[in-house]
Structure formats: structure tokens, C-alpha cells
Amino acid sequence: MLPKVESCIDFCEYKEGGIGIITSLDCAKEAINEETGTIIRNMKKGGKKMAKTRKKERMSAFTIIFLLIIALALITLILPNAAFDEAGTIINGSGVVKAKISDVLLSPILGFGSAVDVCVFVLILGGFLQVVTKSGALENGIKVLVKKLKGNELVLIPILMIIFSIGGTTYGMLEETVGFYALLAFTMVAAGMDTIVASATVLLGAGSGVLGSTINPFATGAAVAALPEGMVVNQGIIIALGAVLWLVSLGISIFFVMRYAKKVKADKGSTFLSLQEQKKMEKFKEKDESKEVTLTGRQKATLWIFGITFIVMIIGFIPWGEFGITFFDSWTGWLTGSALGGWYFNESAAWFFLMAIVIGIINGLSTNQIIDEFIAGARDILSVVLIVAVARGVYVLMSQTYLDNYIIYNVADMLKGTPVALFTPCNYILHLVLSVLVPSSSGLATISTPIMAPLAAQLGYSVETTIMTFVAANGLVNLITPTCGAIMGGLALAKVNYTTWVKWSTKVIVTIGLSSMVILTFASVILS
């Protein structure tokens, strides 16, 4: 049952003949006249005495992550102590280093240091978006787009999800999508949908591609590179299996997002968003929908530069050298010192900073106005930066205590001798757990692949399927885990509470997870 329905029923039960109406704020007047909305009446005689209770609030992203850090620290206290050899290297799987209070307190601080490049990028992105917003180009551009679509706004969802998924399967586009959450929130809200649709379009689109990575150097590439010397895999099998996982998960995602979007568009009261979140969503709504909209010449130029800015960022992130493409090497490194294809968050931050200045100048803003707007945008997005940093603290604590090492080696030892039809699901579940603790695909590949791939080969099972099991499990977890900075930061930008996302996405993620497990198990049986 939706939270709003439960709240309405509770309210009605406290008074004989109590009436509650479920609707959106936009339709309040019509709902009072019983022209729209869902009406709930208490037909019982008498009513309950309303108790004075504290308002139940959903846990914030910070609360969830801090509780996870504390829980992991407590787990290390009950596990055996790690043993080290004479050189000071841990004996794999021997135990953990007990977490101290200082480790718990310092982990989010050290997480900030570990994620500083992402944090700087997000701050500058916030400043860039605010300068664009000040120009009015984004607001008017979205109005013009929605008007041109004339009721066909839903077609944007599959198109955008396919584009994001291509980025996910080719180069692991996930953290790079953070900037699109706010942009699509404006678009989807203007089209009569909500911010969950916007978040799902980005996250499930890119995430389904990452889950079915075909040539992603940070997932399949990192796993193949981590194989023990002399172990060879068939890249064709990896690409084919990745493509199947990608397309199946993408199809499931589009189905769920489209179904929900249609429901919200038809009835605003069917949104999963709480009243608080709906109030926050007002930020993305147009101030005057009745006003005729036209784009000025400056605004058109701003939108062109805005689009080119994101396109260049995406091109910069794709590791062209991994695919043997050297076209950008000789002439694109003059701006940031790194050619397109060698960019990461520092280079992208410099690019967005430059484009913010260019857009400000085009729109006639003075130097002080550009600075003030940029600072205002960075200030608004600061909470996102803190969430990204704190989420990285989980990985820091795992590394410091060697908890990741203990789990992977001991579970691998337990899986020895299991039949292939059982080995693959167990391996999948193992990597679901590990991915919550180590959301980085390249980081987990370095830890896991040197252990699980030789074990699979020793048992006569497909190494290619074992690699894709890790990739699919890691990709699935990164659709929902609070330890992934991209998720927590993106949802914060779209003004969607993490617990709301979990409630809405559980069905689609379970469906994708079960289908992936079936595909991988079937492939293991066929290829082994």
C-alpha cells in the first residue's frame, strides 16, 4: 500500500464519518468538489482517539550510509583477527583488522579525499547549471520542447534510456550521468510526469547498460586484465553474453518506467513521491505555464552550447585508445592537457567551468553576476557533494579492515565442488553482497577475478560466464545501493528521497536480478 493511502486511512479512522482525499496539489480545488482524486470515507460508528505521535520521517541518505558504516565496523569485531606474513602482507582469508572508533569517524573524511575529483566536478556542475538557469534558456527550451511534442512526451523515455544504456555498456557511464538528473527533472515535470520518472530514465537506462557491459573497460576490461597470467578468455562470448544481459534488462526497465509514467501522467495522485517530495518538485515546475514562450537568439545560442558541453564531456570520457581509435590524440589535448578519451572528472570540471563563463558572457552577465550565480549553484548542490563523499567512506572502511578480502576468499573456498547449476547463482549472490561493500566495478574486479576465475576453471566451468556474473551482479547493485555516490548524488539533485527510490524500484530490480541469474546459469550449463 502506498504511504499516502496508509496516512489517509489512519486519518479517517480517528473520526466517525471522517473523509480523506488523495490528490496532487495542482488538483486540490477539483478534489474538494469531488471532481477528481481518490476519496476515502470512514463508514464505521465512532472513531479512534487521535494519539499524539511524532511525525514519522524517512531516513535520509546520510543516516543510511552512517548506519551501514557502523554496522560494518561492528561486524569486524566478531570476526577472527587477520594474520600477516613476515613481509607484512595479509594471509588471504585469515581474518580482519578490528575497526576502531577512529576508523568509523575518519572513514567519511577519508572518503572525501578519495572522491575529491567527483566532488569538485559536482560543485562546478552545480555552478554551471545555475548560470544556464539564470539565462532562462533551459526553462524556455523545455517549454518549447514539450509544446512541440504535443502529448507525445512519453516517447522521450525509451529514446533517452537507449542512449544512456549505450554509454553504460560501452564505457561504464554511471557517475558521468549525475548532471542529467536535474536536467531531466525539469523536462519530465514539465511534461506532466514526476522526478521518479526522470531519475529512473537516467539510472535504469545507464545502469542496464553497465549491467550488460560488452566492451566496458572498467568492468569486463578490468576483469579480463585481472586474470592470472596464462589464463585466456573468449572475448566474443563475453560480448555476446553482455549484449543479452544488456538488452533484457533494458527492455524490463523501459517497460516499468513507461508504465509508471503513463499512470502519473493520467493521475497525479498515483505518484510514489511523499508530500514533502512533491513540494520540493515544485522547483522544477514552470512559473507561468499560460505565457506564450519563445526563445531569444541568446537563449538559442545558450542551448546549443549547453548541448555541446555535455556531448564533449561524453566523448572525453570514452576511452578511445582501448578501441584502437587515435583520432583525438594529436589535436584535442591543448585545453585540459589530456586528449578527448583521456578525460576524467578533473578535465570535465575544467570544461564545465569554462563553459559557464562562456554562457554567462553570451547572456550579458557581468563578472560579478557570473561569480554570484556560480557560487549560488555550488551552494545548492553542496549536499550532493557530501553524500558522494560519505558514501565513499564505506569502501574506505572495507579496505582498512580487510573485510572485503575475508569475505571473498572464504566464500570462494565454500563454493569448491559445487555443481555448475548451483555455482553460478551462489557466485552471483556473493557478488551482490560484495558490490554493496565495494561498488566500484574496477575495484571489485581486482579483488574478485583473480580468485573466482581460476576456481571456475579448476572446476571445469566457463570463465567467461564467471566474469559476466560479477559484472551483472555489480551492475544490479549499483541501481540501488546507498554506497554508490552516483545514485545518492543523482537522487539528491532530482529531489527524490533514497527510501522512495528503493520502494519504487524494488520490483524492477528484483525482476532484472532474477532474469540475469537465469540467463547466466543457462549460459554456464551450456558453455561448461
Side-chain angles (χ1 to χ4, degrees), residues 152-427:
N152 296 318
E153 299 92 346
L154 289 170
V155 75
L156 282 172
I157 295 172
I159 292 173
L160 291 172
M161 290 184 75
I162 290 169
I163 292 171
F164 284 127
S165 73
I166 292 171
T169 191
T170 54
Y171 73 95
M173 184 183 189
L174 189 62
E175 287 180 320
E176 298 86 342
T177 61
V178 170
F180 292 98
Y181 282 81
L183 173 60
L184 283 188
F186 280 107
T187 307
M188 296 304 177
V189 171
M193 292 168 271
D194 63 14
T195 48
I196 290 179
V197 176
S199 302
T201 299
V202 180
L203 183 49
L204 293 180
S208 60
V210 174
L211 184 152
S213 292
T214 50
I215 54 175
N216 176 9
F218 305 109
T220 52
V224 172
L227 290 171
E229 190 175 347
M231 184 171 286
V232 181
V233 293
N234 187 321
Q235 288 283 3
I237 294 176
I238 289 177
I239 292 173
L241 190 52
V244 173
L245 290 165
W246 163 35
L247 295 175
V248 169
S249 59
L250 177 62
I252 293 170
S253 299
I254 290 174
F255 170 77
F256 275 95
V257 177
M258 288 288 285
R259 188 176 69 170
Y260 175 72
K262 288 177 183 176
K263 189 184 296 184
V264 172
K265 195 167 174 59
D267 176 16
K268 298 295 186 292
S270 62
T271 180
F272 259 71
L273 296 174
S274 66
L275 290 176
Q276 270 188 331
E277 289 167 306
Q278 289 182 53
K279 190 173 181 181
K280 289 178 181 178
M281 193 174 73
E282 294 293 320
K283 171 187 173 183
F284 300 112
K285 287 190 176 180
E286 311 299 349
K287 297 184 177 90
D288 185 2
E289 296 179 1
S290 61
K291 187 178 177 181
E292 188 65 27
V293 180
T294 56
L295 287 168
T296 66
R298 285 182 173 183
Q299 289 177 337
K300 288 178 181 178
T302 298
L303 289 176
W304 274 106
I305 295 172
F306 181 82
I308 290 169
T309 302
F310 277 94
I311 290 171
V312 170
M313 179 200 73
I314 293 169
I315 294 172
F317 274 126
I318 298 174
W320 300 105
E322 297 282 340
F323 313 130
I325 299 172
T326 59
F327 175 74
F328 299 105
D329 292 356
S330 61
W331 60 279
T332 61
W334 61 272
L335 185 63
T336 64
S338 298
L340 294 175
W343 282 21
Y344 207 46
F345 289 109
N346 288 336
E347 291 80 8
S348 293
W351 171 244
F352 274 90
F353 180 69
L354 175 62
M355 288 299 101
I357 296 172
V358 171
I359 289 173
I361 292 172
I362 287 174
N363 286 277
L365 300 181
S366 67
T367 303
N368 287 338
Q369 284 178 311
I370 294 174
I371 293 171
D372 289 345
E373 293 300 328
F374 196 91
I375 291 174
R379 182 174 60 243
D380 288 345
I381 213 168
L382 185 59
S383 62
V384 179
V385 172
L386 294 175
I387 289 171
V388 171
V390 173
R392 190 67 67 92
V394 176
Y395 176 66
V396 170
L397 186 68
M398 288 282 295
S399 301
Q400 288 179 332
T401 60
Y402 296 97
L403 184 57
D404 50 1
N405 178 286
Y406 178 80
I407 293 173
I408 187 70
Y409 276 96
N410 283 279
V411 174
D413 190 57
M414 291 168 56
L415 290 177
K416 288 179 180 177
T418 56
V420 64
L422 187 60
F423 177 84
T424 300
C426 289
N427 188 25

Side-chain angles (χ1 to χ4, degrees), residues 72-222:
L72 291 175
L74 293 174
I75 288 172
T76 65
L77 300 180
I78 61 176
L79 294 176
N81 290 318
F84 296 85
D85 60 21
E86 295 179 357
T89 304
I90 188 172
I91 298 174
N92 293 323
S94 60
V96 300
V97 174
K98 309 293 186 187
K100 304 183 290 293
I101 293 177
S102 59
D103 294 326
V104 174
L105 293 176
L106 282 174
S107 60
I109 309 301
L110 296 174
F112 208 123
S114 174
V116 67
D117 53 351
V118 184
C119 293
V120 170
F121 169 73
V122 172
L123 277 175
I124 291 180
L125 175 66
F128 168 82
L129 291 173
Q130 181 59 32
V131 173
V132 175
T133 302
K134 178 67 175 177
S135 72
L138 195 57
E139 181 179 336
N140 286 350
I142 289 170
K143 277 186 175 183
V144 171
L145 174 63
V146 171
K147 188 170 289 187
K148 284 185 176 180
L149 287 172
K150 292 180 181 177
N152 296 318
E153 299 92 346
L154 289 170
V155 75
L156 282 172
I157 295 172
I159 292 173
L160 291 172
M161 290 184 75
I162 290 169
I163 292 171
F164 284 127
S165 73
I166 292 171
T169 191
T170 54
Y171 73 95
M173 184 183 189
L174 189 62
E175 287 180 320
E176 298 86 342
T177 61
V178 170
F180 292 98
Y181 282 81
L183 173 60
L184 283 188
F186 280 107
T187 307
M188 296 304 177
V189 171
M193 292 168 271
D194 63 14
T195 48
I196 290 179
V197 176
S199 302
T201 299
V202 180
L203 183 49
L204 293 180
S208 60
V210 174
L211 184 152
S213 292
T214 50
I215 54 175
N216 176 9
F218 305 109
T220 52

